[in-house]
Amino acid sequence: MPTLDHSPSLNTLDLSIGRLLRARSKEDSEIVELAGALTSHALRQGHVCLDLNEIQEFSPTEFLKLKPLKDLSTQLRIHTSVGSEDQTTPPLILSKANKLYFHRYWHYEQKLITAIQDRIQSTWVESSQELNLSDSLGNDQRRAVNLATQSQLTLISGGPGTGKTTTVLYILASLQERNKNEPLKIALAAPTGKAAQRIQESLSSGLDQLPISGASKERITTSASTIHRLLGFKNNSSQFQHNEDNPLPYDVVVVDEASMLDL
């Protein structure tokens, strides 16, 4: 019967990670090797973890000399290499929902959750200055603009041509109108240079249509950069100049194409 090495779903990196976890496991367990390889595969597919509830999608059982994959979570929970939501130091973390993470990605996700919750719970300071929204905006766009002036975090989604860029412009205009005495500092960014150029061109072309004064328009930047440049990427390092201890010097940060970002 073929072994794990012959699975068509797994590449050399997946297999190497699986072997490394097995080598470092006190139990020298095949099940840990399998878990590591499949979790690596899940990451390469764009997932932050391996959903053991859908394990059959990742690797056919006929390629594995192991017990049925439906029992994988039960077998993993007894291994010292696998932690839980309450014990997050082992190399693998298995959540109560049967989601298997590499230790680093579990902590990445928890940190992101905390950051999002903090921003959702924070609100803008109330202001009597309001933007007279154009009749050209749809109901969903108006709602997005109003919500964005009330929360420290706004997510905008929609297919091509649904007016996302126009909505962003009105949000920025509305925020600036509410802060006329001390204009907000705004940064625009995107994951790639091409995406940054695209959002810059889109915002520039739509700025003239806004029902605000020329002075207000000047306070809305349309210059965009990559996220790496904005944060101050350091060569040969995974660290950035700007982080939670040295935040960006902006009041508002717009990130286009956020779905392109990994965790």
Side-chain angles (χ1 to χ4, degrees):
M1 178 182 293
T3 65
L4 188 61
D5 290 354
H6 294 86
S7 169
S9 302
L10 306 175
N11 68 8
T12 302
L13 174 63
D14 303 331
L15 297 172
S16 297
I17 289 176
R19 294 191 190 104
L20 177 62
L21 288 174
R22 179 175 180 175
R24 294 186 175 182
S25 170
K26 293 180 180 180
E27 294 90 344
D28 184 27
S29 171
E30 281 185 324
I31 208 71
V32 170
E33 179 181 352
L34 169 64
L38 293 182
T39 303
S40 173
H41 175 272
L43 284 177
R44 289 194 296 103
Q45 304 308 306
H47 304 286
V48 68
C49 62
L50 173 68
D51 188 347
L52 297 184
N53 300 307
E54 301 177 358
I55 189 67
Q56 297 293 348
E57 297 181 10
F58 288 91
S59 188
T61 55
E62 64 263 28
F63 287 96
L64 305 168
K65 294 196 307 180
L66 296 165
K67 298 178 181 179
L69 291 178
K70 65 181 181 180
D71 298 327
L72 187 57
S73 62
T74 302
Q75 299 172 63
L76 286 172
R77 290 190 190 279
I78 65 175
H79 282 275
T80 58
S81 294
V82 182
S84 65
E85 295 175 10
D86 300 318
Q87 183 194 13
T88 59
T89 54
L92 293 170
I93 306 296
L94 182 56
S95 74
K96 295 174 183 176
N98 278 343
K99 306 291 180 65
L100 187 63
Y101 297 78
F102 286 128
H103 172 275
R104 179 190 302 179
Y105 284 85
W106 163 263
H107 288 281
Y108 282 164
E109 186 173 85
Q110 298 308 304
K111 193 170 184 179
L112 178 60
I113 290 171
T114 299
I116 289 174
Q117 290 175 336
D118 288 344
R119 284 162 175 75
I120 289 176
Q121 293 168 4
S122 301
T123 58
W124 287 98
V125 177
E126 290 296 329
S127 171
S128 59
Q129 299 289 333
E130 297 293 342
L131 177 67
N132 182 20
L133 297 179
S134 170
D135 292 336
S136 63
L137 288 182
N139 290 334
D140 288 341
Q141 290 173 305
R142 288 170 174 269
R143 185 165 178 263
V145 174
N146 287 326
L147 288 173
T149 60
Q150 301 170 26
S151 174
Q152 293 277 11
L153 176 68
T154 301
L155 302 178
I156 300 175
S157 64
T162 54
K164 296 187 297 297
T165 301
T166 300
T167 302
V168 169
L169 270 174
Y170 273 88
I171 288 173
L172 296 179
S174 184
L175 290 173
Q176 289 291 30
E177 288 293 294
R178 291 161 60 92
N179 294 271
K180 284 185 175 180
N181 294 332
E182 190 174 350
L184 299 172
K185 293 185 236 178
I186 300 171
L188 306 176
T192 66
K194 184 177 181 179
Q197 181 67 26
R198 187 165 56 246
I199 186 63
Q200 182 170 305
E201 293 172 351
S202 297
L203 291 178
S204 296
S205 62
L207 189 60
D208 290 338
Q209 308 303 317
L210 289 180
I212 57 177
S213 67
S216 295
K217 290 179 182 178
E218 290 178 1
R219 295 198 296 266
I220 300 177
T221 181
T222 57
S223 178
S225 71
T226 63
I227 294 174
H228 283 71
R229 177 175 294 180
L230 181 67
L231 293 177
F233 178 70
K234 296 180 180 180
N235 289 330
N236 301 319
S237 172
S238 62
Q239 304 300 312
F240 293 86
Q241 177 183 347
H242 292 287
N243 49 46
E244 61 185 345
D245 297 320
N246 181 32
L248 290 166
Y250 299 101
D251 303 300
V252 180
V253 178
V254 178
V255 180
D256 192 34
E257 301 287 0
S259 60
M260 295 173 62
L261 297 172
D262 61 27
L263 189 58

